[in-house]
Amino acid sequence: MERRTVAVTLEKIYEVAIRNYGMELLAGEKGIYRLADWVHVVEETDYIKFLKGRELIITTGISRPDEEELFLFAQKVYEANASGLVINIGKYIPKVPERVLDFCREHDFPVFTIPWEVHLVEFNRELCNLIYKSEREYDNLDTAVRKAIFQTEGSQEYQMTFSKEGITKETKVRLIQCYFSSADVKKEEKKVYDMTQFYYLFSQYCQQILSERGRKYVVFHAGFYVTIVLFGAEAGDDTWVIERIRKFLVSQEKAAQSFFAVSDADTRISNLAEKYRNLSKICHWMPRGERDVCYEERMGMWRLLLAIPDDTILQKYEERVLGELKRVDAETGSAYCRILEAYLNENGNIQEVAAQSFLHRNTITYHLKKIAEITGRNLSSAQDRMELYLAFQIQKILE
């Protein structure tokens, strides 16, 4: 079952805490868009190793009034991937040492203070409720997106959720589909666990960068795909997101090969199912191509083929055009389909096809005559060549 953890940004927490608890942000302003899953009071350095990441840590300093110990504490909290540090100023820590602030500035790690008079129980309860509310709102939006994609008949129900979130029929939406090749996953048994952990970390990272962008979003994982649904998308959002994701993937040595497909500017909540299906097909084809990023609006004839919702229409066309040639190959061990595809891809350059096939050009010419006889096609006819080429493209989609 997919693990879904959605958090609230430190910026939202700060907006509430500055008003109700006198919180101050002393350093790490650039990290204000970090996500926090929970709020914890931690006093002992040994407890830090139990953190899972994305916690907002609070300390009173009762166990470390010494400046050096507080610095080491802040360093370890940062290394544990916590979201930020809140220091309860007063009895044990009268002032945050400059050394701690310098460290937090250097690493864009937010460090806050709250007055000693603040009741930490109330502070924790309000912030945890804020996180819970954010999770609930996200879950509602996540459910609405999944229903719009996978259960299109219940449109009225999910339309109400979109409306509550300010998402209308006119809201610009962008889908970014991330596909991870299974090739690396099958190398070792333990890779199954490794990839499960990878998907979890990847989804968390996507949530973080999208929060920085200030967009409403949903990120979900299905099969080898992670899909990002970006609401209110603007020009350049998709490029920025993909660039950031690539940096993350470089840091993950065990990540499988990745491919990205991006929906066009006409994407709306009304056609999410269609766009999701199209991007899934594009992603599945991409490992056979030479690109690792494909934009739907730049797909040429593929865009027309992907728009056909019923695959049986494509199957019948491909069978009618290439079926007999495929059967001859299967029965005799010939390579007519491969030779014909190379011939079409090389615009009829027999010399190039011969070089690719490691055959003499006269042999290729003979094979092409046999191909023409079997298919009943005139390979000198632009229309026949176009239909044959189209059949090969359909074959790739159907694979």
Side-chain angles (χ1 to χ4, degrees):
M1 182 148 181
E2 179 185 351
R3 298 166 64 190
R4 284 193 290 163
T5 305
V6 184
V8 64
T9 63
L10 293 183
E11 183 184 37
K12 287 187 178 179
I13 289 176
Y14 187 41
E15 288 173 357
V16 172
I18 195 174
R19 181 176 63 251
N20 297 343
Y21 302 101
M23 177 186 270
E24 291 187 32
L25 174 62
L26 300 188
E29 295 86 352
K30 291 182 180 179
I32 197 69
Y33 293 106
R34 285 172 176 261
L35 293 169
D37 289 328
W38 207 243
V39 180
H40 282 305
V41 176
V42 178
E43 300 295 359
E44 297 292 338
T45 304
D46 290 343
Y47 292 162
I48 296 175
K49 63 185 178 183
F50 297 110
L51 298 179
K52 295 182 179 180
R54 298 211 315 196
E55 298 95 345
L56 178 60
I57 302 303
I58 304 170
T59 185
T60 64
I62 189 172
S63 300
R64 69 192 67 72
D66 179 77
E67 178 177 325
E68 177 65 19
E69 290 182 353
L70 183 60
F71 172 77
L72 294 175
F73 179 82
Q75 193 174 39
K76 288 182 178 296
V77 167
Y78 168 76
E79 291 171 353
N81 294 317
S83 299
L85 177 62
V86 180
I87 299 175
N88 195 196
I89 293 295
K91 186 173 181 179
Y92 301 108
I93 305 176
K95 181 182 178 182
V96 181
E98 196 62 33
R99 186 182 178 193
V100 173
L101 296 179
D102 287 342
F103 173 82
C104 293
R105 291 189 190 103
E106 180 183 354
H107 295 88
D108 296 328
F109 185 60
V111 57
F112 306 89
T113 61
I114 53 173
W116 183 255
E117 295 74 24
V118 169
H119 290 195
L120 293 185
V121 173
E122 294 179 5
F123 179 80
N124 285 11
R125 182 170 59 239
E126 180 162 2
L127 296 192
C128 288
N129 284 338
L130 179 65
I131 292 171
Y132 174 72
K133 179 183 177 183
S134 176
E135 289 179 346
R136 187 172 56 189
E137 290 174 351
Y138 178 89
D139 282 345
N140 290 340
L141 185 57
D142 177 274
T143 300
V145 166
R146 291 177 189 245
K147 286 184 175 180
I149 292 174
F150 302 114
Q151 302 174 21
T152 53
E153 66 278 1
S155 62
Q156 188 173 2
E157 181 182 346
Y158 63 73
Q159 288 288 356
M160 291 176 62
T161 302
F162 287 134
S163 181
K164 289 179 182 178
E165 293 293 330
I167 299 168
T168 69
K169 294 180 179 179
E170 304 305 319
T171 300
K172 293 181 179 180
V173 185
R174 192 58 66 103
L175 263 64
I176 303 175
Q177 187 119 297
C178 314
Y179 173 70
F180 300 97
S181 170
S182 61
D184 294 341
V185 182
K186 297 178 181 177
K187 287 181 181 177
E188 308 170 24
E189 285 292 326
K190 66 179 182 178
K191 266 290 187 182
V192 175
Y193 171 76
D194 289 342
M195 290 305 295
T196 299
Q197 181 69 8
F198 165 74
Y199 282 125
Y200 176 66
L201 294 174
F202 180 78
S203 295
Q204 280 200 326
Y205 182 79
C206 288
Q207 292 168 13
Q208 181 61 64
I209 62 175
L210 294 169
S211 295
E212 293 175 19
R213 202 67 172 176
R215 305 276 185 267
K216 285 186 183 294
Y217 64 86
V218 164
V219 180
F220 67 90
H221 162 219
F224 291 109
Y225 302 96
V226 174
T227 302
I228 298 170
V229 185
L230 199 57
F231 297 98
E234 295 181 2
D237 277 351
D238 47 271
T239 302
W240 183 86
V241 169
I242 291 173
E243 287 177 354
R244 292 291 300 272
I245 288 175
R246 278 174 164 164
K247 290 180 181 179
F248 169 79
L249 294 175
V250 168
S251 71
Q252 300 295 308
E253 295 180 358
K254 295 181 180 180
Q257 190 175 9
S258 57
F259 303 90
F260 302 91
V262 183
S263 67
D264 61 20
D266 294 330
T267 309
R268 298 291 187 274
I269 58 174
S270 58
N271 60 12
L272 286 182
E274 174 192 342
K275 297 300 180 182
Y276 180 87
R277 185 191 70 242
N278 290 354
L279 296 190
S280 297
K281 288 181 178 179
I282 293 171
C283 280
H284 202 62
W285 164 79
M286 286 171 67
R288 302 176 181 85
E290 299 179 352
R291 293 175 287 180
D292 62 356
V293 180
C294 277
Y295 291 85
E296 187 184 15
E297 55 204 10
R298 304 175 191 170
M299 291 298 292
M301 86 162 57
W302 271 65
R303 190 174 184 185
L304 297 176
L305 297 175
L306 292 171
I308 299 174
D310 187 354
D311 282 352
T312 59
I313 297 174
L314 300 177
Q315 289 170 352
K316 289 178 179 178
Y317 181 92
E318 187 262 352
E319 169 63 22
R320 180 171 60 84
V321 177
L322 293 178
E324 186 60 27
L325 198 64
K326 290 165 68 176
R327 279 188 285 274
V328 171
D329 276 352
E331 292 171 3
T332 66
S334 56
Y336 289 147
C337 284
R338 179 173 57 79
I339 291 171
L340 175 58
E341 186 174 15
Y343 176 77
L344 296 171
N345 288 336
E346 296 301 330
N347 297 313
N349 187 329
I350 293 177
Q351 189 64 46
E352 184 61 34
V353 176
Q356 291 180 20
S357 305
F358 301 101
L359 296 171
H360 192 277
R361 59 174 294 131
N362 291 341
T363 304
I364 294 297
T365 300
Y366 172 77
H367 285 323
L368 291 174
K369 288 180 180 179
K370 293 294 294 181
I371 289 170
E373 291 175 8
I374 295 168
T375 61
R377 301 279 175 167
N378 178 3
L379 298 186
S380 299
S381 165
Q383 179 173 334
D384 280 356
R385 285 164 69 161
M386 182 271 292
E387 291 183 1
L388 288 164
Y389 180 80
L390 187 62
F392 279 113
Q393 302 313 303
I394 290 174
Q395 188 179 72
K396 291 177 182 178
I397 291 177
L398 295 176
E399 288 172 351

